[in-house]
Amino acid sequence: MQRRQSSETLKKPLQAHHKNQTDLSAWRKGRRTDPEKNVQSHQSPNAQENDSEQDSLEEALRYFEQVQDCVSLKKKNVLQKHLTTVESIALQRGLPTEGFDVLLKVALSGKLADTVNTRLLKSLVPASVIPETSVVSAVSWLCVGKCSDNIQLLFLRWLITMFDFIDHKEELHALYGFFFSFLQDEKMCPYVCHVLYLLTRKESVRPFRIRRLLDLQVKMGMQPHLQALLSLYKLFCPELVTITLPGKTKTYFKNSEGPWKAAINAVRRRNQANSPVFQTLFLGTAQPQSRKRKWNTQLMIPASSTNRNNLEEDREKNCVKLYSRNESFPVEQLQTFSQLLQNIHRLEFPSQMGSVLTHPLLLHYMNCIKDESVYLRLYYWMGQTLQEECPWCVADNSQYEEEFKDFLETVYKTECFLQEGFSSCEEFLYKSLPLWDGVCCQSQVLRLVSWIPLGTFSEMKSHLYDPLVQLFFTSSLYFKCSVIESLKELLQNWLNWHVTHLDSESDSQVHSLNTTLSGLVNTVAELIHFVGRISAVALRLENNHTFLLYFILDFYETVCDIYLRYNLPLLIMPPAGVFYPALLSMDAVNLNQLCYIMYRYRTNLVAAKENDLSKKQMLQFKFSSQTYQEYNQYLIAMVGCLWTSSAFQKDTHPQGLRMDDELLKKTAVKEVKTSFNIVNHPAMMGYAVRFLQQAWPDDTTFNFSLIKGRKWDWYLEYLYSQGLEGLKLFIESSISRVSQASHSKA
């Protein structure tokens, strides 16, 4: 019945396009009769060439507009000539708006052979936008049944690919039921589902449509395209869709862009090269455009030509409808935060979901209103874009690395704004990291790693840790530092997420991992152990480089405070391969940082011990005695080095500094036992020299043995004045004499 009604009304949309035909005539007439343009065209060879191309295109459009009978491509040279003209111009600079109505009509009317219709559809690449009226008229031809199934499929693929180039969508939304009726065709079903996915609004979800999709699922099985539409329906109306659907976001639809991908790229490059103002004209945006619709047309909400021409008329209408509860508020008019607050429940997100990434007000909306349908659409679009545009996954994309960098940077900034990672980015990283060379888009990829959502260790080990290890040990010092920094931010994001959810749920539950608190503790612990292992190896490979050691200690500065700052019952000491290189470091900054870390470890362990003894809080987890034992071993080593000069005798750690006296004598180092105290330590020797210069300006022998007794205390005060706050906190908390003196002084 629906098809019959559509066929009966076929003439109406075509008649409605007389306006378009008039526009085409006006375009021809205006171009010919404008004397200034004719004069200017004779002034430049390029202008003459463009004028010649326009003449050829005008002649070709007139030919296709007037063609009546079925024409054979082999027997008609004129057809071959005009078809070639349309193809060449479309591939070079895109077709004008006025040509789509003519070419879509002839391609879908069945007047020409399928080979011609196929070539015409593959040539429909816009130079700017595609009129919605032309698309609606083309859709009406589908119910006539004059074009073959292959042409119908190709048209649907074209519609999906060019969906974001269409200037309006309201009339297309009105055809939702028409598209839905095509689901019964098994060949067209995947592409029809994709179109419906792009068009679906909340009001589109109806019980009879859900029943129809469920029937199709029983008939065809669990198909990805049906899952996609059902998932979207369930997000809009969860009370209507009661079946359980796979929770993991996956690639629902196949790529439909193949025939038009190269053409869109070529048009963009040519237009940008020939016209410096093209970037402001293309789809009405003022931002540099990328090579593909995936993010060039979606990162900004397009302002169509119709919108620009009828701006005043739209404003008058909007003044009347602004506060109508039944009317949706168009995103294009959202300019201020007050508008967002007034219309937050009436916002309709754009079809171009990528535009959300660069729209702060829409990001505020996503933060306030957890609309799962918005996230689902955004995840689908982002997953497709990342998968298809990755330079190291798709060979043809290597020349567009800079554009992909900008896109990844935009995604990262969005994640920072929302304070959560996208599951589509996680899936992209897990798939692409094994193929990554560690160079392409390095900083952008590592930034995205820092927002990977909390997952199970087995999954993260195979998809994240193992690929990173292979690159980590074979890459430069800078790359190693960048990886450590990224993993530190990943740890902080997990811990911050845990803190923000403590108020809404009990301490014994975690909300993403589908486990209890033990799941979070185990995953965080495995991350810390992983960083400890690669850090110890990296320090050996890089000869304990100061720069690398700084980033490693920065990571452990977060680890040492997990219990008190993030309310997570977990403390893990750094491995000996990290602790001892830091203790014997030649740099005072690293030594001072190690002292601060040990001070915070002590503070956290004391708090945990007191809490355990007082029984004020029943902890599900208690720190093992091994943690306390390892801390005490490190503490003895540090105090023995920096204060008592007994590290070589009293260090009890298996990988520590303990040496026999005979072995120490063989080193032939004078006063070897005091070689690592706060006076003679390589990292502190510069401070000792400057202290001696101030205390004994006439003495040039630099006799460090003079710093003892009361002068030792003066030297301590001097070190504190130089900004070594970590050293001060460690000594005052761990050395009983200094601790008592500081308390009495206070």
Side-chain angles (χ1 to χ4, degrees):
M1 183 65 183
Q2 193 173 11
R3 286 174 177 260
R4 190 180 302 117
Q5 290 176 351
S6 300
S7 62
E8 290 174 356
T9 57
L10 174 62
K11 295 181 180 179
K12 293 183 179 180
L14 294 179
Q15 290 172 356
H17 277 69
H18 289 165
K19 182 179 183 299
N20 275 355
Q21 294 173 4
T22 304
D23 292 341
L24 182 59
S25 303
W27 167 66
R28 297 167 181 159
K29 182 178 178 181
R31 189 185 58 78
R32 286 180 169 181
T33 58
D34 191 341
E36 292 185 6
K37 291 184 179 179
N38 287 336
V39 171
Q40 291 176 359
S41 65
H42 291 294
Q43 295 174 352
S44 169
N46 291 335
Q48 292 179 2
E49 180 183 353
N50 291 338
D51 195 55
S52 175
E53 288 181 352
Q54 289 180 351
D55 288 335
S56 301
L57 179 60
E58 175 189 338
E59 185 180 352
L61 292 177
R62 188 187 301 111
Y63 172 83
F64 286 115
E65 190 178 20
Q66 297 173 356
V67 66
Q68 297 295 332
D69 302 324
C70 185
V71 182
S72 173
L73 183 61
K74 295 181 179 179
K75 298 180 180 180
K76 201 73 173 180
N77 293 332
V78 178
L79 174 60
Q80 178 67 52
K81 171 189 171 185
H82 294 313
L83 183 59
T84 303
T85 298
V86 171
E87 288 178 325
S88 62
I89 293 179
L91 293 176
Q92 289 178 2
R93 53 188 175 89
L95 296 175
T97 304
E98 297 81 2
F100 283 91
D101 186 64
V102 175
L103 298 179
L104 282 171
K105 177 181 177 181
V106 72
L108 298 175
S109 63
K111 295 179 180 179
L112 303 176
D114 275 5
T115 53
V116 179
N117 295 331
T118 299
R119 290 173 62 179
L120 282 176
L121 286 174
K122 290 182 178 181
S123 302
L124 294 180
V125 179
S128 57
V129 294
I130 301 173
E132 182 189 27
T133 51
S134 299
V135 179
V136 172
S137 176
V139 171
S140 69
W141 280 99
L142 296 181
C143 62
V144 179
K146 290 189 176 182
C147 58
S148 66
D149 292 343
N150 291 335
I151 296 300
Q152 291 182 9
L153 287 175
L154 188 61
F155 169 72
L156 289 177
R157 293 177 61 189
W158 175 84
L159 179 60
I160 294 167
T161 303
M162 302 298 173
F163 188 81
D164 300 320
F165 291 90
I166 302 172
D167 56 2
H168 293 292
K169 307 290 191 307
E170 290 305 316
E171 293 183 17
L172 276 179
H173 280 292
L175 295 175
Y176 193 92
F178 174 78
F179 284 112
F180 197 89
S181 66
F182 280 92
L183 286 176
Q184 60 190 359
D185 190 317
E186 291 190 13
K187 290 184 178 180
M188 297 180 66
C189 186
Y191 301 102
V192 173
C193 282
H194 199 161
V195 174
L196 293 173
Y197 190 94
L198 296 173
L199 291 173
T200 297
R201 298 172 175 173
K202 187 171 184 178
E203 58 268 22
S204 306
V205 182
R206 295 289 183 267
F208 75 91
R209 288 175 179 158
I210 297 174
R211 288 194 298 270
R212 180 59 181 158
L213 289 175
L214 294 177
D215 292 341
L216 287 173
Q217 186 168 264
V218 172
K219 178 182 177 182
M220 301 180 182
M222 190 70 76
Q223 299 297 325
H225 48 275
L226 295 176
Q227 288 182 33
L229 209 50
L230 282 171
S231 299
L232 193 57
Y233 280 11
K234 187 168 186 176
L235 289 174
F236 280 125
C237 300
E239 71 280 1
L240 297 179
V241 184
T242 57
I243 65 169
T244 302
L245 296 169
K248 185 81 172 178
T249 304
K250 58 188 294 186
T251 302
Y252 290 124
F253 305 110
K254 294 181 179 179
N255 180 21
S256 299
E257 295 186 326
W260 300 277
K261 179 176 180 178
I264 294 175
N265 298 342
V267 168
R268 182 196 64 86
R269 288 193 295 269
R270 178 180 174 88
N271 286 341
Q272 287 185 347
N274 293 346
S275 176
V277 298
F278 174 76
Q279 293 180 351
T280 61
L281 298 178
F282 193 81
L283 287 185
T285 66
Q287 299 295 325
Q289 298 299 327
S290 176
R291 64 193 183 97
K292 287 193 65 178
R293 73 176 183 92
K294 284 296 183 183
W295 65 79
N296 71 339
T297 64
Q298 296 201 29
L299 290 183
M300 297 296 292
I301 299 176
S304 66
S305 57
T306 308
N307 283 341
R308 291 192 297 269
N309 295 336
N310 301 319
L311 184 59
E312 294 300 326
E313 181 181 351
D314 289 343
R315 285 178 178 173
E316 293 177 3
K317 293 180 180 179
N318 292 330
C319 289
V320 178
K321 298 182 179 180
L322 184 60
Y323 296 100
S324 174
R325 292 185 178 180
N326 296 326
E327 291 290 334
S328 60
F329 188 82
V331 175
E332 294 84 351
Q333 299 177 15
L334 187 62
Q335 302 294 333
T336 64
F337 194 75
S338 60
Q339 283 182 323
L340 173 65
L341 296 178
Q342 293 172 4
N343 303 279
I344 195 167
H345 296 297
R346 301 193 296 115
L347 280 181
E348 179 183 345
F349 268 61
S351 300
Q352 305 92 325
M353 284 306 297
S355 61
V356 176
L357 301 182
T358 55
H359 200 298
L361 294 177
L362 293 183
L363 293 179
H364 277 298
Y365 173 88
M366 292 181 66
N367 250 344
C368 298
I369 307 296
K370 296 301 181 181
D371 189 345
E372 293 296 331
S373 64
V374 173
Y375 280 92
L376 184 64
R377 291 172 59 197
L378 184 62
Y379 289 167
Y380 162 70
W381 169 82
M382 189 180 298
Q384 290 284 99
T385 303
L386 291 169
Q387 180 180 347
E388 296 169 10
E389 306 307 320
C390 178
W392 60 89
C393 294
V394 183
D396 296 339
N397 294 339
S398 57
Q399 56 183 318
Y400 303 106
E401 179 181 340
E402 291 301 322
E403 295 183 5
F404 194 65
K405 278 184 181 179
D406 295 337
F407 177 64
L408 294 183
E409 192 71 28
T410 301
V411 173
Y412 169 74
K413 290 178 180 178
T414 304
E415 290 182 325
C416 292
F417 186 94
L418 298 175
Q419 286 296 293
E420 64 177 305
F422 296 133
S423 60
S424 51
C425 287
E426 176 190 14
E427 185 177 355
F428 161 71
L429 290 171
Y430 286 171
K431 288 182 178 179
S432 63
L433 281 179
L435 306 174
W436 187 42
D437 60 1
V439 177
C440 183
C441 307
Q442 181 185 113
S443 61
Q444 289 76 21
V445 171
L446 292 178
R447 285 179 177 180
L448 291 181
V449 166
S450 67
W451 281 108
I452 290 179
L454 189 65
T456 61
F457 170 70
S458 59
E459 182 181 30
M460 301 198 70
K461 180 180 184 303
S462 59
H463 294 105
L464 176 65
Y465 298 156
D466 291 347
L468 277 182
V469 163
Q470 297 178 15
L471 292 171
F472 185 82
F473 293 139
T474 58
S475 298
S476 65
L477 171 68
Y478 175 77
F479 182 82
K480 292 182 177 69
C481 296
S482 300
V483 170
I484 299 296
E485 175 71 12
S486 176
L487 295 177
K488 183 202 77 170
E489 293 178 359
L490 176 63
L491 174 63
Q492 287 179 334
N493 289 332
W494 285 356
L495 296 173
N496 288 331
W497 173 88
H498 167 68
V499 171
T500 57
H501 286 76
L502 282 178
D503 296 334
S504 58
E505 298 200 18
S506 64
D507 291 349
S508 62
Q509 292 183 349
V510 172
H511 339 288
S512 160
L513 196 54
N514 193 26
T515 66
T516 60
L517 183 61
S518 61
L520 175 63
V521 171
N522 292 337
T523 304
V524 171
E526 291 296 343
L527 173 61
I528 297 172
H529 287 309
F530 171 73
V531 174
R533 290 192 297 270
I534 65 173
S535 297
V537 176
L539 286 172
R540 290 199 296 270
L541 292 175
E542 300 293 342
N543 296 321
N544 298 327
H545 199 285
T546 300
F547 191 58
L548 176 61
L549 186 58
Y550 170 81
F551 282 91
I552 295 173
L553 292 177
D554 195 39
F555 174 84
Y556 279 98
E557 193 168 323
T558 300
V559 175
C560 69
D561 241 353
I562 286 180
Y563 177 70
L564 288 178
R565 181 173 296 179
Y566 300 101
N567 200 17
L568 193 68
L570 178 68
L571 275 180
I572 298 176
M573 301 299 298
V578 171
F579 172 79
Y580 284 102
L583 178 59
L584 306 179
S585 172
M586 302 283 288
D587 184 75
V589 174
N590 288 335
L591 181 61
N592 180 68
Q593 194 172 11
L594 177 65
C595 291
Y596 175 77
I597 290 172
M598 291 298 292
Y599 162 73
R600 292 307 303 171
Y601 269 121
R602 180 184 187 280
T603 305
N604 280 256
L605 288 170
V606 169
K609 193 72 173 179
E610 291 176 350
N611 182 61
D612 185 33
L613 294 175
S614 63
K615 305 295 183 182
K616 290 182 179 179
Q617 180 182 3
M618 294 299 295
L619 283 178
Q620 186 179 359
F621 303 90
K622 295 182 179 179
F623 299 133
S624 66
S625 58
Q626 182 180 355
T627 303
Y628 291 98
Q629 180 182 356
E630 196 169 9
Y631 170 79
N632 289 331
Q633 289 175 336
Y634 287 163
L635 180 64
I636 291 172
M638 285 193 69
V639 174
C641 273
L642 301 177
W643 195 262
T644 63
S645 302
S646 60
F648 296 116
Q649 291 78 30
K650 295 185 178 181
D651 192 351
T652 60
H653 196 280
Q655 303 178 39
L657 303 175
R658 186 181 180 87
M659 297 183 189
D660 294 334
D661 291 338
E662 295 181 0
L663 183 60
L664 290 174
K665 291 179 181 179
K666 292 181 180 180
T667 61
V669 177
K670 295 181 179 180
E671 300 180 358
V672 63
K673 293 183 180 181
T674 62
S675 57
F676 288 103
N677 62 21
I678 57 174
V679 176
N680 298 287
H681 195 290
M684 309 301 294
M685 196 172 291
Y687 293 102
V689 169
R690 288 195 291 272
F691 174 76
L692 290 174
Q693 288 177 338
Q694 295 181 19
W696 294 276
D698 298 331
D699 188 358
T700 59
T701 59
F702 299 114
N703 186 3
F704 293 155
S705 62
L706 295 175
I707 305 177
K708 58 184 179 180
R710 192 173 182 181
K711 295 181 179 62
W712 180 279
D713 295 334
W714 294 351
Y715 177 60
L716 273 182
E717 294 296 331
Y718 172 76
L719 292 179
Y720 298 163
S721 69
Q722 298 303 304
L724 299 177
E725 188 67 23
L727 179 68
K728 176 183 178 182
L729 292 172
F730 172 76
I731 291 178
E732 290 184 350
S733 63
S734 302
I735 309 298
S736 58
R737 180 178 71 82
V738 179
S739 178
Q740 293 172 3
S742 62
H743 284 302
S744 61
K745 186 176 180 180

